[in-house]
């Protein structure tokens, strides 16, 4: 089944594309470092989101050409970026006033685990090593809508959507939507509610890759994304 | 994205009876006089107002109070050269007053904008202003717990603004304005100049547009001190109430 | 005695002059509104204090000429001021971060009463009317050195330096030095310690105008100020 | 008033063993690399360092850690492209780590500078980072009490500075620098350019001089990212330890 899954599941770019479709025109958005940064590439035509980065910049754009980086102009992932018209700089306390104060509309983050009550684990494997939290705990407690993009299962085949997180929490009851490599799932009343799934996977198979019960409220539509 | 609105009346039209409204300015400096007058014109009443002061003379906040639109005032210093409007209503028991030390007022508003529900300050410890508030010792010194202040609306004044709501201020007219911009669900700004997107240096923007909902240009704003020296009165006597247009 | 007092006591300008002599070069200073503002006029030659005003300005100078006022450039007393080179503007939260955070060296304030333990009452007569606190409670709890300038007695002849304040407090144990129309007095270990007094007043008379015991530690020197 | 110092070594000479030192920057952006190297040269050890990160490669904070000068690190994200210096000492139990969420770190530093001994934040509620900290409910939601952070010294980087210590920054190099300037007993700044008093627009000054004690010019500062790509190492191998002069 796992091999079959690999042939049908969405690529990271496709997951990012799907998440980008839900960002409205004029929304203020923070993208977690790494994979979530990819969402910015897929803003739908005619909509303009404003991207915030924790290190003190609102309104940044694409990466500069190689060799044209200015290392004072970076994002939270410490990658060089560029400025769009209307951008602004501010210090870290003001930056997190935006985050904690509920001024950002959307945060899109990666996850180790998401529980059916919206708990998120994405900062520590809990196995020793070196912990590093960054701005994740501020984002999940401050941004109006916290969404997760993630593979549906781990590389070892374990579900990432679970009844209860076994890994150290980033935040409690904070996630409201999960975009996975197989489905789009809302979290509502401490339940996973399936909204979209790939046409090529059956309900039973999808449930089997999910660590908690998938509820169905209304229609489940096909999760359709372009080749990227 | 375009946050520019064409008229003052449109900008304040969402403010309804019973709203909590922060009004920027320190005395007349940085006070959004034309927005306050537009708010008077809406007839909205039973307002809770947050401002450092309580108005002066017969214009701006003083006029809003005199017209009986304010049921509660949260401020640090309700005295001025001519505080008649507030004094009369306060001494008649017609307006509630919450006195907050000035720095605590500023910090409570910032806390509201920054998602900090409470903080501790040495200010007011041992005074009647601290009565009823939790006190805690840190490192051997006593501090008073203060709570955030938030509002339904902030009406503020800036010097220049763009379509995304980025703002810069003018001199000490900055005062409470950038803080109040952060602390309201809906922030309305009057600016002397609307400028092209990109015209404001990203390094010098004081209020990033994320804190702003509406921007309206008032190119030659009136100054409270000057109006009061002239004995001005709002709404103008012998004139019908009319909507105040942008730039008027 | 009261009439005799009026003939020897210092004027407000002379009290302000004396207070100004203790401001060191490079100190950051906040002057309370009204009478204390006068201290700025008497900075000793060769010393440069930097004046802070609560409404968000550091480094302001004298009042402009009449007719040249800019009403966006005012101090906490809402009087028009001017800028000195090196001045800066900031918002109210930053302004009180300077105050509360202990960054100012000296605050010089007026007083209704000062108690021998350093308690200050200067914001409310406690008799009804309209209370107005402004920045006084922040200043007395934040500035490194809080000094008071005041007449030694009230207009009705009552002492302003007292054992215990009867009026509502502005701050607890905050004042360390008092410049009066008759003397310079430190507050140390909850006692008034006399440092300087006018040559023309006897110790006994000075004590009789003071509501708590005046202690003497070392020499008491003459309080000498110029005609102003 | 003249806060300009003529050399890096003079600027950091007061930092002694056991000091708590805040170091500005987010990764390499806004990091006062030359001041950190001058601090390495002093030999000061047993330092508690506050920084968002834990250094990268073999220069700057990473070099300070590798040279065994840091006994405790307070930071939010001790990972980087090349975190070897920190990782080795941490896994060997030779450096204490206090992990603080990034926004809480920023707010604790601001609180230290603003005289706020404690505040409440939703951040970290229900996680192991909140263990042992007081929790209180406000308006139905639970918040964690966090305490201020203060330091003996801050060493930071700005773009331009004047003799009174007024500062402006460069782009996202601003980050923690203005906050740390407020939170230390003694703040030392390296600037790319010392400018005449009055050359900085009072409207655009980000850090007023009241927060700054020493300013030293480093006209062509090195950038951590570029040094690391070149495989740079501090102190230079095969070179004796020497005092780093201003502008070097």
């Amino acid at each position: 089944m796992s091999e079959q899954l690999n042939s049908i599941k969405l690529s990271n770019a496709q997951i990012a594309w799907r998440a980008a479709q839900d960002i409205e025109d004029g929304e203020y958005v923070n993208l977690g470092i790494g994979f979530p940064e990819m969402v910015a590439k897929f803003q739908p035509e005619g909509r303009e989101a404003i991207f915030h980065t924790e290190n003190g910049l609102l309104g940044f754009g694409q990466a500069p050409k190689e060799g044209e980086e200015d290392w004072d102009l970076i994002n939270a992932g410490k990658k060089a970026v560029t400025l769009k018209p209307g951008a602004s700089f501010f210090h870290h306390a003001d930056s997190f006033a935006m985050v904690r104060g509920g001024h950002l509309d959307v945060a899109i983050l990666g996850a180790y685990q998401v529980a059916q009550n919206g708990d998120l684990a994405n900062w520590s494997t809990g196995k020793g090593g070196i912990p590093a939290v960054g701005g994740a705990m501020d984002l999940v407690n401050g941004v109006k809508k916290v969404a997760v993009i993630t593979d549906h299962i781990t590389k070892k085949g374990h579900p990432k959507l679970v009844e209860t997180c076994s890994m150290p929490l980033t935040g409690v009851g904070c996630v409201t939507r999960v975009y996975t490599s197989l489905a789009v799932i809302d979290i509502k009343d401490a339940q996973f509610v399936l909204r979209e799934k790939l046409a090529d996977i059956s309900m039973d198979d999808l449930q089997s890759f999910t660590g908690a019960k998938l509820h169905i409220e209304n229609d489940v539509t096909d999760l359709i994304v372009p080749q990227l | 994205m375009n946050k520019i609105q064409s008229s003052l009346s449109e900008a304040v039209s969402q403010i309804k009876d019973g709203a909590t409204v922060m009004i920027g300015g320190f005395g007349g400096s940085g006070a959004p006089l034309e927005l306050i007058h537009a708010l008077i014109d809406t007839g909205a009443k039973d307002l809770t107002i947050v401002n450092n002061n309580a108005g002066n003379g017969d214009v701006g906040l003083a006029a809003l109070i005199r017209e009986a639109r304010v049921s509660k005032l949260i401020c640090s210093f309700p005295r001025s050269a001519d505080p008649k409007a507030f004094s009369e209503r306060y001494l008649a028991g017609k307006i509630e007053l919450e006195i907050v030390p000035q720095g605590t007022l500023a910090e409570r508003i910032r806390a509201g904008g920054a998602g900090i529900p409470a903080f501790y300050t040495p200010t007011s410890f041992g005074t009647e202003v601290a009565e009823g508030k939790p006190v805690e010792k840190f490192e051997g010194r006593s501090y008073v717990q203060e709570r955030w202040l938030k509002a339904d609306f902030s009406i503020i004044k800036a010097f220049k603004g763009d379509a995304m709501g980025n703002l810069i201020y003018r001199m000490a007219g900055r005062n409470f304005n950038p803080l109040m911009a952060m602390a309201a669900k809906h922030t309305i700004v009057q600016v002397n100049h609307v400028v092209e997107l990109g015209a404001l240096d990203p390094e010098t923007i004081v209020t990033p547009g994320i804190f702003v909902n509406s921007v309206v240009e008032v190119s030659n704003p009136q100054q409270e001190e000057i109006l009061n020296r002239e004995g001005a009165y709002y709404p103008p006597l012998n004139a019908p109430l009319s909507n105040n247009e942008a730039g008027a």
Side-chain angles (χ1 to χ4, degrees), chain A, chain B:
Chain A
M1 184 64 216
S2 214
E3 270 168 46
Q4 187 203 333
L5 204 62
N6 280 331
S7 70
I8 63 163
K9 74 171 195 181
L10 301 185
S11 68
N12 276 359
Q14 288 173 311
I15 301 172
W17 180 92
R18 177 61 192 85
Q21 306 313 301
D22 289 345
I23 300 176
E24 302 290 337
D25 187 40
E27 286 194 321
Y28 293 93
V29 180
N30 184 293
L31 302 174
I33 67 179
F35 168 27
E37 289 178 49
M38 203 187 281
V39 172
K41 282 200 224 170
F42 300 114
Q43 281 189 80
E45 197 78 25
R47 290 192 225 160
E48 184 198 12
I50 299 100
F51 292 101
H52 168 269
T53 181
E54 295 96 303
N55 52 318
L57 170 53
L58 194 65
F60 67 90
Q62 302 283 340
K65 286 186 198 143
E66 200 168 322
E68 294 182 8
E69 298 91 351
D70 184 323
W71 294 108
D72 283 339
L73 183 52
I74 62 173
N75 66 12
K78 304 194 178 76
K79 296 191 189 73
V81 295
T82 52
L83 291 182
K84 287 184 169 178
S88 55
F89 296 109
F90 33 84
H91 62 50
H92 247 82
D94 282 349
S95 184
F96 281 92
M98 292 177 194
V99 173
R100 202 190 303 103
H103 303 283
L104 291 168
D105 298 298
V106 182
I108 299 179
L109 305 173
Y112 295 146
Q113 293 178 322
V114 182
Q116 59 190 352
N117 67 348
D119 286 2
L120 173 67
N122 79 347
W123 77 283
S124 163
T125 58
K127 289 180 193 160
I130 296 167
V133 66
M137 289 188 182
D138 303 284
L139 288 164
V140 300
N141 286 294
V143 179
K144 285 177 199 153
K145 179 177 166 182
V146 177
V148 156
I149 57 176
T150 179
D151 234 317
H152 202 89
I153 56 173
T154 67
K155 280 177 189 151
K156 290 187 175 168
H158 298 123
K160 298 185 81 164
L161 280 65
V162 295
E163 286 190 348
T164 308
C165 292
S166 58
M167 292 165 118
L169 292 188
T170 306
V172 174
C174 52
V175 177
T176 54
R177 175 162 267 210
V178 185
Y179 304 93
T180 79
S181 46
L182 302 177
V184 177
I185 293 161
D186 280 345
I187 290 167
K188 198 178 152 186
D189 303 330
Q191 295 183 331
F192 287 129
V193 179
L194 181 64
R195 301 298 186 193
E196 301 175 19
K197 70 170 187 59
L198 291 178
D200 290 346
I201 191 166
S202 71
M203 258 313 297
D204 283 354
D205 283 349
L206 183 64
Q207 181 63 70
S208 75
F209 290 120
T210 309
K213 179 155 176 55
L214 288 172
H215 294 261
I216 295 173
E217 248 189 16
N218 300 304
D219 288 348
V220 175
T221 56
D222 284 350
L223 170 54
I224 299 170
V225 303
Q227 293 302 320
L228 292 169
Chain B
M1 172 176 287
N2 188 359
K3 298 181 179 179
I4 310 296
Q5 294 205 301
S6 58
S7 76
L8 289 160
S9 57
E10 183 190 346
V12 299
S13 60
Q14 294 180 47
I15 306 179
K16 302 299 181 196
D17 293 1
T20 295
V21 183
M22 294 182 176
I23 301 180
F26 178 83
S29 140
L33 214 58
E34 283 75 8
L35 279 173
I36 302 171
H37 290 168
L39 176 58
I40 292 175
D41 292 352
T42 67
K45 61 181 191 303
D46 196 20
L47 302 172
T48 294
I49 298 292
V50 181
N51 182 271
N52 188 65
N53 303 99
N56 197 15
D58 268 305
V59 298
L61 176 55
L64 187 72
I65 291 170
R66 189 203 57 227
E67 297 292 313
R69 308 299 174 73
V70 183
S71 55
K72 180 175 180 182
L73 180 68
I74 301 174
C75 85
S76 93
F77 205 80
R79 283 187 209 143
S80 65
D82 179 9
K84 180 175 47 82
F86 173 77
S87 302
E88 283 180 3
R89 293 192 65 77
Y90 177 72
L91 295 174
K94 289 181 173 161
I95 188 168
E96 188 185 343
L97 173 66
E98 180 179 343
I99 280 282
V100 183
Q102 195 171 337
T104 299
L105 183 64
E107 192 66 14
R108 288 179 64 193
I109 296 168
R110 181 193 174 272
I116 305 284
F119 60 90
Y120 289 90
T121 173
T123 301
S124 92
F125 173 72
T127 76
E128 61 187 55
V129 170
E131 275 168 24
K133 293 176 185 166
V135 167
E136 196 165 330
K137 268 199 177 177
F138 298 97
E139 299 166 30
R141 187 173 178 191
S142 295
Y143 295 86
V144 179
Q145 187 192 90
E146 295 280 358
R147 302 285 294 278
W148 60 12
L149 257 183
K150 301 206 272 193
D152 299 309
F153 296 90
S154 282
I155 59 179
I156 67 169
K157 184 181 184 181
F159 186 51
K160 294 182 182 178
D162 67 23
M164 291 177 77
N166 294 303
L167 305 176
I168 64 168
Y169 299 87
R170 187 166 179 277
M171 304 204 276
R174 188 180 305 193
N175 56 65
F176 284 92
N177 286 299
L179 306 172
M180 291 179 171
M182 300 166 65
K185 286 181 207 136
H186 189 95
T187 292
I188 304 158
V189 192
Q190 69 169 75
V191 298
N192 296 29
H193 306 285
V194 168
V195 299
E196 289 293 306
L197 205 61
L200 298 175
D201 180 353
E203 300 277 8
T204 70
I205 288 169
V206 174
T207 294
I210 191 172
F211 296 125
V212 170
N213 301 86
S214 302
V215 176
V216 58
E217 189 176 58
V218 178
S219 28
N220 288 299
Q222 296 174 302
Q223 201 77 17
E224 188 182 281
E225 287 76 3
I226 294 169
L227 287 184
N228 281 332
R229 283 167 187 220
E230 292 168 350
Y233 195 96
Y234 196 89
L237 296 170
N238 307 319
L241 270 183
S242 69
N243 282 342
N244 222 319
E245 291 304 311

